[in-house]
Amino acid sequence: MAIKILADSACDLSKDYYNKYDIEMVSLTVHLYNEDYEDGKSISPKTVYHAMREGKSPKTSQVSPQTFKSIFTSYAETNQTLIYLAFSSGLSGTYQTAKMMEQEVKESYPDAPIHVVDTKCASLGYGLVVLHAAELAKQSDDPKEIIASSHNYASKMEHIFTVDDLEYLYRGGRVSRTAAFVGSLLKIKPILHVEDGKLIPLEKIRGSKKLFNRMLEIMEERGGDFSNHTIGISHGDDLKRAEQLASMIKERLNVNEVVIEMVGSAIGSHSGPGTIALFFINKQYEA
């Protein structure tokens, strides 16, 4: 049997990719309008963004222990190899929950070929790692090779992103009330990145015109040969600006492919509408 790749909905991949690569997906939960929804299944990102624009504050919760236990048990019973590539442990407790359930299932099935990997990546940066592993799983039946390559790829994945309104990051506890207020007043646009799986502010840019140019400069500084790698762009219900950034990248850099996806309901609940994120492999990567 082929090696199965499992991802969670925070990778922000569309269903086409799950179908193409036969990837299994588990959903984080979005709490909105006093209801619980399954990210990627029973709620659309547009619904979340509309609610946020109307002043609502959606909440999210990690994948349940029971969900992981059920999936891991089904693979253990058939002795099929499963590799779960998880959303960054620095941003969610989902990875830790999966590790606990892996250990619990292995008490009954000690030789179960179940592997849980912390990508320390988010959104489409995480999605690109999942696709990298899924491509390998088509060619290799060695889980150690796939895990090692995925770790290497994930550790070199850059996340450069900005948010349209600091208010959403304030609600999520990422910036102070003062910073959010002053940022909105001065039209300051933050650039953030992910470092060791956590969101870290990088720079503040005044005025949106300079923003994309600076994001591309950072990409040029950190990136290597883009001709063999896929570039990811995810957006918070702002396809026009995402396509504008993609066009700038294609004009300036020799890129292989640019994939554009919407930021999903779970991550979008924290970053908000208008988010633009850029993902690429840095120059330290060696295949």
Side-chain angles (χ1 to χ4, degrees):
M1 286 185 286
I3 293 172
K4 190 76 169 183
I5 302 296
L6 173 67
D8 59 65
S9 60
C11 69
D12 291 345
L13 290 173
S14 64
K15 288 177 184 173
D16 291 345
Y17 288 108
Y18 292 116
N19 295 334
K20 180 180 177 181
Y21 292 98
D22 194 26
I23 299 164
E24 190 163 348
M25 190 267 274
V26 285
S27 291
L28 279 75
T29 300
V30 177
H31 311 273
L32 182 65
Y33 303 125
N34 297 316
E35 298 280 345
D36 286 347
Y37 299 93
E38 289 182 282
D39 179 25
K41 292 179 180 176
S42 60
I43 189 169
S44 76
K46 277 186 175 288
T47 300
V48 171
Y49 295 130
H50 177 73
M52 294 178 83
R53 290 182 181 117
E54 297 291 311
K56 301 284 188 251
S57 297
K59 306 292 183 202
T60 60
S61 58
Q62 64 191 52
V63 180
S64 73
Q66 194 51 50
T67 298
F68 281 126
K69 188 171 184 181
S70 174
I71 292 170
F72 292 169
T73 300
S74 69
Y75 280 87
E77 286 172 347
T78 58
N79 204 41
Q80 183 179 0
T81 302
L82 177 71
I83 300 173
Y84 168 48
L85 297 159
F87 179 29
S88 173
S89 62
L91 298 171
S92 168
T94 295
Y95 166 75
Q96 285 88 348
T97 299
K99 284 301 288 182
M100 283 192 298
M101 291 303 101
E102 176 198 0
Q103 290 161 10
E104 199 169 300
V105 168
K106 284 181 176 177
E107 287 173 10
S108 302
Y109 302 89
D111 299 321
I114 295 166
H115 311 273
V116 177
V117 178
D118 181 5
T119 66
K120 297 192 175 179
C121 293
S123 188
L124 199 50
Y126 165 29
L128 293 177
V129 175
V130 171
L131 294 181
H132 175 80
E135 284 277 11
L136 284 175
K138 282 182 170 183
Q139 307 155 19
S140 173
D141 58 2
D142 181 357
K144 287 183 180 176
E145 179 189 350
I146 295 169
I147 291 165
S149 182
S150 298
H151 265 304
N152 180 34
Y153 197 75
S155 69
K156 308 302 187 297
M157 182 63 68
E158 297 285 347
H159 304 58
I160 307 296
F161 71 101
T162 186
V163 294
D164 195 44
D165 191 340
L166 283 160
E167 174 68 22
Y168 301 119
L169 285 179
Y170 162 69
R171 290 182 199 170
R174 296 295 174 193
V175 298
S176 69
R177 160 50 75 202
T178 306
F181 177 72
V182 171
S184 300
L185 211 61
L186 300 177
K187 298 197 180 337
I188 287 174
K189 299 295 183 186
I191 296 179
L192 303 94
H193 69 155
V194 169
E195 202 173 87
D196 195 32
K198 297 183 177 68
L199 299 187
I200 308 289
L202 193 60
E203 295 178 11
K204 294 174 184 172
I205 306 293
R206 187 172 296 179
S208 54
K209 285 184 180 177
K210 299 176 186 174
L211 188 62
F212 282 177
N213 277 324
R214 182 57 190 137
M215 289 174 74
L216 258 69
E217 284 173 5
I218 295 169
M219 185 176 176
E220 287 174 315
E221 289 162 12
R222 297 187 179 188
D225 178 9
F226 298 113
S227 61
N228 294 318
H229 296 290
T230 300
I231 310 301
I233 297 174
S234 60
H235 64 94
D237 196 21
D238 197 343
L239 180 59
K240 186 177 178 182
R241 286 177 73 229
E243 289 177 337
Q244 180 191 344
L245 180 59
S247 177
M248 290 171 70
I249 290 169
K250 288 172 184 173
E251 281 176 24
R252 270 170 70 165
L253 302 167
N254 178 29
V255 300
N256 173 43
E257 181 186 10
V258 179
V259 171
I260 300 175
E261 295 284 354
M262 193 179 293
V263 179
S265 301
I267 291 183
S269 293
H270 300 282
S271 58
T275 297
I276 299 287
L278 174 60
F279 309 95
F280 58 91
I281 287 295
N282 66 31
K283 59 189 170 190
Q284 295 173 339
Y285 176 73
E286 291 179 13

